[in-house]
Amino acid sequence: MDWFEKSLQENFDLPPKNPSEEAQRRWRSAVGALVKNRRRRFRMVADLDSRSQNEAHRRSIQEKIRLALYVQKAAITFIDGAKHKEYRLTEDIINARFSINPDELASITSKHDVKALRMHGGVDGISKKIRSTFDHGISASDLDTRQNIYGVNRYAEKPSRSFWMFVWDALQDMTLIILMVCALISAVVGLASEGFPKGMYDGLGIILSILLVVMVTAVSDYRQSLQFKELDNEKKKIFIHVTRDGSRQKISIYDLVVGDIVHLSIGDQVPADGLYIHGYSLLIDESSLSGESDPVYISQDKPFLLAGTKVQDGSAKMMITAVGMRTEWGRLMSTLSEGGEDETPLQVKLNGVATIIGKIGLVFATLTFVVLMVRFFIEKGLTVGLSKWYSTDALTIVNYFATAVTIIVVAVPEGLPLAVTLSLAFAMKKLMHDKALVRHLSACETMGSAGTICTDKTGTLTTNHMVVDRIWISDASKSVTSDSSLEDLNSVISPTTLGLFLQGIFENTSAEVVKEKDGAQTVLGTPTERAILEFGLKLQGSHDAEDRTCTKVKVEPFNSDKKKMAVLVSLPNGTYRWFSKGASEIVVQMCDMMVDADGNSVPLSEAQRRNILDTINAFASDALRTLCLAYKEVEDFDDDSDSPTGGFTLISIFGIKDPLRPGVKDAVKACMSAGIIVRMVTGDNINTAKAIAKECGILTDDGIAIEGPDFRSKSPEEMRDLIPKIRVMARSLPLDKHTLVTNLRGMFHEVVAVTGDGTNDAPALHEADIGLAMGIAGTEEVLLSQQCSCCGLI
């Protein structure tokens, strides 16, 4: 019995869960002799041999994967090591008591390098390394040192061209070169045949006409360059608020240095690259650099701010980390300042005509000279013989040569360049009366030769000023584009509904009304918020006239994830009211009630909900951006809780649009009738682009609309078949617009005009035959930095 109990303990004493493989093998070894049908008996038990083989196979695969990962990691490390630029602290940096290299500091912001920022201790660590504090700023005594090490906030521009450089450019015309050669030959032959001064008349006359053409062209171009320079200098007089020596100061952007603490508010342009310190609902418009119309929210997690962008909403303090040519804006300008100029179509044709006329004149002059010489030799041979030569014979040969040169001079029309130059100068004057500055005289001619126009949408075809176009309220949809429609809306809804509606507009908004120095009111904020607030002011008459019987208690700014904003206000009766405004599909789901025409809250039936969704879809199909406004009354609230997500009462639906500029339809129609193809290239979504293109007449039945990603995925052969049909390109990047212009010029030999109002349009403007910078915007500054045949419309 002892032996039996000992055997049971050694072989059959197994733990209840997860026995070891050794214990399982001992158990099977002990009972294996007693089991007759092992396969059947152990069918529900793991096969230890197969398990062992599988485990060995798994370990083998793991080892192979581990080796592959090590190899990959080594390769990546090697590549990163080759690419990595080691930033060292020079003696100047150390002596100035700074702890970070200027190039490394600039790369952190421009590359949005979160890892490097954390490595340096975040924004706080960067501020210590550049000796700047958030409250005190920098010391004014360190300005020179900071400028010497980290640079000045100026962009490298091409030096101004002198008047004689414009004279030299005007002399490069092929027709003028042929005329100069003819003038020289005519003067030499005239002196030899007729003597001085009679022999100089023809040559001198040609030279005077050449000088007149050159001076008219050079003076016109030089004067225009001075006007552009004055405009550029005037536009750059920008002042910003910074904190220095513990006090807030107003300085020029040129005096900005690394470490400055800059105060940003709505409408400001970010003056240099930097890092976000703190602020309130900072919304940045980066379309001038990226071309994307969607604004970017800046926070502690995403603190990177780039020069050239604009503050669309909110306020903040930022710390400057890069200025001048080390900023992303500066690098963009340096790349666009390169490139030469192409001849205009008329210059090409004139040069071709001059070359053909010169060749024809040279052939006939040569034939004439040969015929005269043959006749001379025959007559001389028949009379006195070819062996005897006299001084009169040499004079006769010179006269024959002068006759040949005269044929060449007469063949080339020396008055043609002068006529063309004077006509272009007249065209430039006409354009100046229309408030268009033309950089080069030849651009006037090129504008008349354009066969294709690639235009931007926002700010060019449209006003870039959002307005409320249609509104749904109390189960009625109304157009509100005129004053009479506003009166109709007032007559439809009750005063109670109107008061609730206006309260929701004025209280739940991030825009604000400011008074200018001249007393005029201006609304600042995002385009959408401005449109709604301006509509409320028109409906009420004045923001100040509103009876403020409530107080804001809590504000939830717009969140890109929630797609809505909310505000809690206290009412005179001691209760509270939430107002929520945001994306239609989000707000409608939160509502189970709606406001009727009498101002009462009524349940939202399924039929009414379907009607509301149909209204939203109808607004969207007309290229309207839709927003919903709703409210909910509560007895109490919690400071730590967010706004409610249900139980709201729907007040209204806004349909907002960016209207066409006056005269756009007529301009497009005139271009079409003249045989000029107009194409819209925009970064907006394709539905909005198609609606605007149809409204202004760009998108016709034989044209197509395409998105940028689809366009850039096409092969050259597919593009050759596709490009002639394209009328609208939506969701496009700056490279897509550049590719379209390049192919139009290269594949189809079109004279292409490009219009734009953002820096993202600059590559296409630079590539085009005619680039038109609309308004005083970023693109114009780029165009001013390069000498291309463009005109900036002011």
Side-chain angles (χ1 to χ4, degrees):
M1 290 295 295
D2 294 338
W3 172 84
F4 185 72
E5 290 179 357
K6 184 178 180 181
S7 178
L8 287 175
Q9 291 176 356
E10 290 179 356
N11 298 313
F12 298 97
D13 187 15
L14 300 178
K17 290 184 178 180
N18 300 322
S20 65
E21 184 177 344
E22 181 183 357
Q24 293 182 58
R25 287 187 181 277
R26 283 191 288 107
W27 179 80
R28 293 192 185 185
S29 175
V31 300
L34 303 176
V35 177
K36 300 299 182 182
N37 191 348
R38 296 169 56 88
R39 181 173 297 179
R40 178 173 176 82
R41 180 65 62 184
F42 295 142
R43 68 185 185 277
M44 304 301 295
V45 182
D47 188 346
L48 298 180
D49 294 332
S50 298
R51 178 186 290 181
S52 178
Q53 293 176 2
N54 292 336
E55 181 66 20
H57 183 62
R58 184 178 65 82
R59 290 180 179 176
S60 175
I61 294 176
Q62 283 183 335
E63 185 65 19
K64 291 179 181 179
I65 294 174
R66 187 178 67 84
L67 291 175
L69 290 176
Y70 276 134
V71 172
Q72 183 183 19
K73 184 177 179 180
I76 293 174
T77 304
F78 178 79
I79 293 172
D80 291 343
K83 290 183 178 180
H84 178 68
K85 182 178 180 181
E86 185 178 355
Y87 299 102
R88 297 182 179 179
L89 296 178
T90 62
E91 292 186 4
D92 295 338
I93 299 174
I94 296 174
N95 293 336
R97 292 179 295 142
F98 297 120
S99 306
I100 188 169
N101 185 279
D103 294 328
E104 182 180 9
L105 183 60
S107 68
I108 291 175
T109 306
S110 62
K111 295 179 181 179
H112 290 38
D113 195 342
V114 178
K115 184 177 179 181
L117 180 63
R118 291 173 180 171
M119 184 183 68
H120 287 284
V123 180
D124 293 331
I126 294 292
S127 66
K128 293 177 182 178
K129 293 189 175 184
I130 58 176
R131 294 197 295 112
S132 176
T133 58
F134 300 154
D135 297 328
H136 188 272
I138 64 171
S139 175
S141 59
D142 293 339
L143 293 180
D144 293 337
T145 304
R146 292 179 183 272
Q147 288 180 346
N148 292 333
I149 294 176
Y150 292 102
V152 295
N153 198 30
R154 292 180 181 270
Y155 304 113
E157 300 179 357
K158 285 186 176 181
S160 300
R161 307 183 73 204
S162 65
F163 172 75
W164 298 110
M165 296 180 70
F166 287 97
V167 172
W168 176 254
D169 289 342
L171 286 170
Q172 305 307 308
D173 187 88
M174 180 61 69
T175 306
L176 297 182
I177 293 174
I178 294 175
L179 287 175
M180 284 188 284
V181 174
C182 293
L184 180 62
I185 296 175
S186 177
V188 172
V189 173
L191 288 175
S193 59
E194 300 182 20
F196 183 84
K198 188 176 180 180
M200 291 288 296
Y201 290 161
D202 292 338
L204 188 60
I206 298 173
I207 291 175
L208 289 177
S209 66
I210 293 172
L211 289 177
L212 183 59
V213 171
V214 170
M215 294 306 294
V216 170
T217 305
V219 168
S220 299
D221 288 346
Y222 182 64
R223 288 181 60 188
Q224 288 299 101
S225 69
L226 293 179
Q227 290 178 349
F228 268 93
K229 187 175 181 180
E230 291 175 2
L231 175 65
D232 191 24
N233 292 334
E234 186 68 25
K235 186 180 58 180
K236 290 179 179 178
K237 293 179 180 179
I238 301 174
F239 292 88
I240 56 173
H241 290 269
V242 301
T243 296
R244 282 184 182 174
D245 294 324
S247 62
R248 185 161 174 168
Q249 306 174 17
K250 187 177 182 180
I251 65 170
S252 170
I253 59 171
Y254 295 130
D255 298 331
L256 203 65
V257 296
V258 169
D260 266 323
I261 307 300
V262 178
H263 301 261
L264 299 176
S265 57
I266 296 176
D268 288 345
Q269 179 172 316
V270 180
D273 289 359
L275 297 172
Y276 172 87
I277 300 174
H278 61 77
Y280 173 75
S281 301
L282 184 62
L283 189 66
I284 296 293
D285 178 11
E286 293 187 351
S287 59
S288 60
L289 287 177
S290 64
E292 294 294 332
S293 58
D294 294 335
V296 177
Y297 281 91
I298 305 299
S299 61
Q300 300 287 353
D301 298 330
K302 217 167 105 175
F304 306 106
L305 292 161
L306 298 179
T309 58
K310 289 187 177 181
V311 179
Q312 200 172 82
D313 193 17
S315 61
K317 289 171 69 175
M318 68 172 290
M319 181 176 64
I320 301 300
T321 58
V323 294
M325 297 307 294
R326 284 193 173 95
T327 63
E328 195 69 19
W329 181 277
R331 279 190 285 271
L332 176 64
M333 291 185 62
S334 65
T335 57
L336 290 173
S337 62
E338 301 172 359
E341 301 170 20
D342 296 331
E343 291 182 327
T344 67
L346 183 60
Q347 287 175 327
V348 174
K349 293 176 183 177
L350 287 179
N351 292 340
V353 169
T355 303
I356 293 173
I357 293 175
K359 290 180 180 179
I360 295 174
L362 182 61
V363 170
F364 279 96
T366 304
L367 289 175
T368 302
F369 183 72
V370 170
V371 170
L372 291 176
M373 289 299 296
V374 169
R375 191 183 69 173
F376 171 75
F377 282 119
I378 292 175
E379 290 179 352
K380 185 173 180 61
L382 295 177
T383 54
V384 296
L386 297 176
S387 59
K388 295 181 180 180
W389 290 85
Y390 305 99
S391 59
T392 54
D393 295 338
L395 185 59
T396 301
I397 293 175
V398 171
N399 287 332
Y400 291 162
F401 185 72
T403 302
V405 171
T406 302
I407 293 174
I408 298 177
V409 172
V410 173
V412 179
E414 63 271 11
L416 181 60
L418 178 59
V420 172
T421 301
L422 292 177
S423 64
L424 294 180
F426 178 75
M428 177 186 287
K429 288 291 184 182
K430 294 287 288 182
L431 285 170
M432 290 180 65
H433 287 303
D434 293 334
K435 298 182 180 180
L437 294 182
V438 183
R439 183 178 295 283
H440 286 305
L441 198 63
S442 56
C444 300
E445 177 272 320
T446 312
M447 290 172 65
S449 304
T452 296
I453 298 176
C454 295
T455 176
D456 190 22
K457 180 183 76 67
T458 306
T460 304
L461 296 178
T462 60
T463 59
N464 198 20
H465 185 87
M466 291 286 187
V467 295
V468 177
D469 184 76
R470 295 172 66 182
I471 187 173
W472 178 95
I473 188 169
S474 299
D475 210 12
S477 179
K478 293 286 184 181
S479 175
V480 289
T481 54
S482 62
D483 294 337
S484 60
S485 59
L486 291 177
E487 295 176 359
D488 294 339
L489 182 63
N490 276 319
S491 63
V492 170
I493 59 178
S494 66
T496 305
T497 305
L498 179 62
L500 185 64
F501 177 62
L502 291 176
Q503 189 182 61
I505 290 178
F506 294 134
E507 297 297 339
N508 189 22
T509 181
S510 61
E512 59 178 328
V513 181
V514 297
K515 286 189 176 181
E516 303 289 345
K517 294 180 180 180
D518 56 359
Q521 285 188 340
T522 303
V523 180
L524 298 179
T526 64
T528 303
E529 292 293 313
R530 287 176 57 191
I532 295 177
L533 186 55
E534 287 173 353
F535 173 72
L537 292 173
K538 285 183 181 179
L539 198 61
Q540 168 94 20
S542 172
H543 191 182
D544 297 333
E546 180 203 357
D547 183 16
R548 290 301 186 101
T549 58
C550 57
T551 306
K552 288 185 180 180
V553 177
K554 187 176 181 180
V555 176
E556 288 186 5
F558 181 82
N559 185 287
S560 58
D561 295 328
K562 297 181 179 179
K563 295 184 179 180
K564 65 184 181 70
M565 61 186 298
V567 63
L568 179 66
V569 297
S570 61
L571 302 178
N573 59 7
T575 60
Y576 301 92
R577 179 178 292 164
W578 280 101
F579 284 103
S580 182
K581 180 177 65 183
S584 303
E585 66 275 10
I586 303 296
V587 177
V588 170
Q589 290 180 358
M590 297 163 47
C591 298
D592 53 19
M593 307 278 284
M594 62 170 285
V595 178
D596 62 7
D598 297 327
N600 300 319
S601 297
V602 297
L604 191 62
S605 65
E606 288 300 322
Q608 289 173 325
R609 186 180 294 272
R610 285 195 299 269
N611 181 38
I612 291 171
L613 295 177
D614 291 340
T615 301
I616 293 172
N617 292 331
F619 283 8
S621 63
D622 291 336
L624 300 180
R625 182 180 299 177
T626 60
L627 287 177
C628 287
L629 177 64
Y631 82 98
K632 180 181 181 180
E633 293 190 357
V634 294
E635 297 294 332
D636 200 358
F637 71 97
D638 186 1
D639 290 329
D640 298 329
S641 62
D642 295 333
S643 61
T645 58
F648 277 82
T649 302
L650 183 63
I651 301 175
S652 66
I653 303 172
F654 298 97
I656 305 171
K657 71 178 296 186
D658 187 3
L660 288 177
R661 287 182 181 273
V664 166
K665 291 182 181 179
D666 296 334
V668 172
K669 185 177 180 181
C671 290
M672 295 293 190
S673 61
I676 300 174
I677 299 175
V678 182
R679 293 178 171 88
M680 177 196 293
V681 186
T682 177
D684 282 349
N685 68 75
I686 192 166
N687 293 324
T688 303
K690 288 169 67 176
I692 294 295
K694 288 179 180 178
E695 185 178 353
C696 63
I698 291 177
L699 185 57
T700 55
D701 295 335
D702 57 344
I704 63 172
I706 191 173
E707 291 188 329
D710 296 335
F711 175 76
R712 74 178 75 107
S713 64
K714 302 294 183 182
S715 63
E717 292 75 15
E718 292 174 326
M719 283 189 179
R720 185 179 295 274
D721 298 331
L722 182 65
I723 287 177
K725 303 175 185 177
I726 293 178
R727 294 297 180 269
V728 176
M729 185 188 296
R731 289 297 181 196
S732 62
L733 298 176
L735 184 60
D736 299 330
K737 197 170 188 177
H738 182 270
T739 302
L740 178 63
V741 173
T742 303
N743 289 332
L744 283 171
R745 295 187 65 203
M747 287 185 182
F748 302 97
H749 306 288
E750 292 273 2
V751 179
V752 183
V754 173
T755 65
D757 61 349
T759 306
N760 55 293
D761 297 318
L765 286 161
H766 184 257
E767 178 66 22
D769 297 290
I770 313 128
L772 297 106
M774 311 297 291
I776 301 178
T779 300
E780 185 191 14
E781 186 166 348
V782 176
L783 292 177
L784 288 169
S785 68
Q786 58 189 13
Q787 300 294 327
C788 65
S789 298
C790 300
C791 63
L793 302 185
I794 309 305

